[in-house]
Amino acid sequence: IFFRPPLLWFPWALMSHPCRMRLEELQHTAKAMSSGSFQKERLQADPVEAFIAAFSIADTGVVLSKPQQLREKLKNMRQLALEGNISFVVDFDHTISQYTCVETKGRGPTTHSIMEGSYTEDVRHKAKELQLKYYPKEIDPALSMDEKIYWMERWLREAHQLTIDAGITLQQLREAVVASGLVLRSQFEDFLHFAQQRKFSLLVFSAGIADIIEEIFKSRLTTAAHPEIFANKLKFDANGKVVGFHEPVHHVFNKRLSSYCQLNLNLENDAASRTQAADKQEWVIDTEGS
């Protein structure tokens, strides 16, 4: 049955506003659903209602601001799954990776901060100046979406030029990944196996660096089959030195399934229909605070 185990299926699909679920919170939910206080016959009769009902008896700390909207989404997702027509779209930084750093107990690294670990102090200072300049525009409620996209593209292109000017190499990036202390969420690999066994496609969408995500998967996962990555990808010369980035740039406002469909990358169904469906049904993943 598709909805077993719920712990593996739901966290990555629902780790977005308004739920902002943490994996640990869903573990509490799963325990509640398997406890004697939970009516298992309800799970068999209507798994969607059972999942929502679990929040009333599990100490999750999750507030459902729009339960009816969530209910309709879950029913739609379940139907797609039963038809074998479902894909998982997952962010990477602080979603697949843990938000909290195990060593420092502070905010964990991102792919960009890992890459900046290969910079000189001067280049790191310039990267920080770019963040101070452009991040306020990302969150400015007075700016339109078109204006924000313009500023995000400028931010990324200037940041990418810093990477090129820094002259870093693939080997330096690999060493930075090892030294980063980044940890994947504890049951991500179980979730990956779950999706692969059922032939559900798993797409990692990120405004980060694809090459660093690939290196993290190689060093942290035991399985050889890794998810497909849709993120900013580096260009290297024959000596492994970074000389550019592949187009287009990927930022927080265009890491969407519709963007992926427009590039026509390895999707089984017609790209146009999938794009239209994606714009209607996709969930934009918000990683801050997750």
Side-chain angles (χ1 to χ4, degrees):
I1 299 175
F2 175 72
F3 278 85
R4 293 179 180 173
L7 171 62
L8 298 180
W9 191 85
F10 282 105
W12 316 102
L14 297 180
M15 197 173 291
S16 59
H17 183 78
C19 298
R20 295 183 184 273
M21 298 181 182
R22 294 183 176 87
L23 179 59
E24 294 78 9
E25 294 166 348
L26 284 157
Q27 287 174 330
H28 286 305
T29 301
K31 290 179 181 178
M33 294 175 79
S34 61
S35 68
S37 62
F38 189 80
Q39 299 176 357
K40 293 185 179 180
E41 59 271 18
R42 287 193 63 191
L43 176 59
Q44 297 171 352
D46 192 335
V48 171
E49 292 300 326
F51 183 82
I52 292 176
F55 289 103
S56 65
I57 61 174
D59 183 20
T60 63
V62 176
V63 176
L64 301 180
S65 63
K66 299 179 180 178
Q68 185 56 37
Q69 184 178 4
L70 174 61
R71 183 177 286 106
E72 293 303 317
K73 285 183 177 181
L74 292 176
K75 289 180 179 179
N76 184 38
M77 292 160 66
R78 180 173 185 265
Q79 185 59 41
L80 290 172
L82 293 173
E83 295 170 359
N85 185 25
I86 192 168
S87 298
F88 293 96
V89 179
V90 191
D91 186 32
F92 182 81
D93 287 320
H94 300 159
T95 304
I96 292 177
S97 65
Q98 289 188 177
Y99 181 82
T100 303
C101 178
V102 176
E103 296 178 356
T104 66
K105 306 302 180 184
R107 191 171 185 265
T110 65
T111 56
H112 275 105
S113 67
I114 290 174
M115 184 167 66
E116 290 169 9
S118 301
Y119 293 169
T120 63
E121 188 62 35
D122 179 58
V123 177
R124 278 198 294 271
H125 178 71
K126 291 179 180 178
K128 183 63 176 179
E129 288 182 334
L130 290 180
Q131 182 186 33
L132 294 175
K133 176 182 178 181
Y134 288 113
Y135 181 66
K137 299 183 185 299
E138 177 184 328
I139 61 175
D140 188 347
L143 294 179
S144 68
M145 183 57 66
D146 287 342
E147 289 173 317
K148 288 188 175 187
I149 289 174
Y150 168 78
W151 290 115
M152 292 307 99
E153 289 186 354
R154 282 197 57 173
W155 183 4
L156 276 177
R157 292 189 187 282
E158 290 182 32
H160 289 175
Q161 190 59 51
L162 282 181
T163 303
I164 296 168
D165 294 342
I168 61 177
T169 65
L170 177 58
Q171 182 58 36
Q172 286 178 305
L173 292 179
R174 288 171 174 166
E175 293 171 356
V177 166
V178 172
S180 68
L182 182 142
V183 177
L184 300 179
R185 290 188 183 264
S186 60
Q187 291 190 319
F188 171 69
E189 190 158 12
D190 291 338
F191 165 69
L192 180 59
H193 289 152
F194 174 84
Q196 291 172 343
Q197 289 169 0
R198 289 155 182 81
K199 301 188 184 304
F200 296 143
S201 59
L202 178 59
L203 308 175
V204 176
F205 278 38
S206 175
I209 309 300
D211 306 81
I212 291 180
I213 297 174
E214 290 172 359
E215 291 300 324
I216 290 169
F217 284 159
K218 289 177 183 177
S219 62
R220 272 45 168 198
L221 297 177
T222 59
T223 177
H226 299 158
E228 189 168 2
I229 301 168
F230 187 66
N232 295 292
K233 191 164 181 60
L234 297 163
K235 291 181 180 179
F236 298 94
D237 65 14
N239 297 317
K241 179 180 176 181
V242 175
V243 294
F245 283 77
H246 291 276
E247 292 290 335
V249 295
H250 305 297
H251 51 76
V252 67
F253 297 117
N254 73 348
K255 56 176 183 179
R256 305 173 68 90
L257 187 57
S258 53
S259 301
Y260 185 85
C261 294
Q262 289 165 7
L263 291 178
N264 197 25
L265 297 175
N266 301 329
L267 291 177
E268 296 178 357
N269 297 330
D270 177 71
S273 63
R274 290 292 292 273
T275 300
Q276 184 178 16
D279 285 332
K280 290 181 180 179
Q281 300 182 23
E282 72 176 69
W283 296 273
V284 179
I285 300 175
D286 180 357
T287 63
E288 289 299 321
S290 62

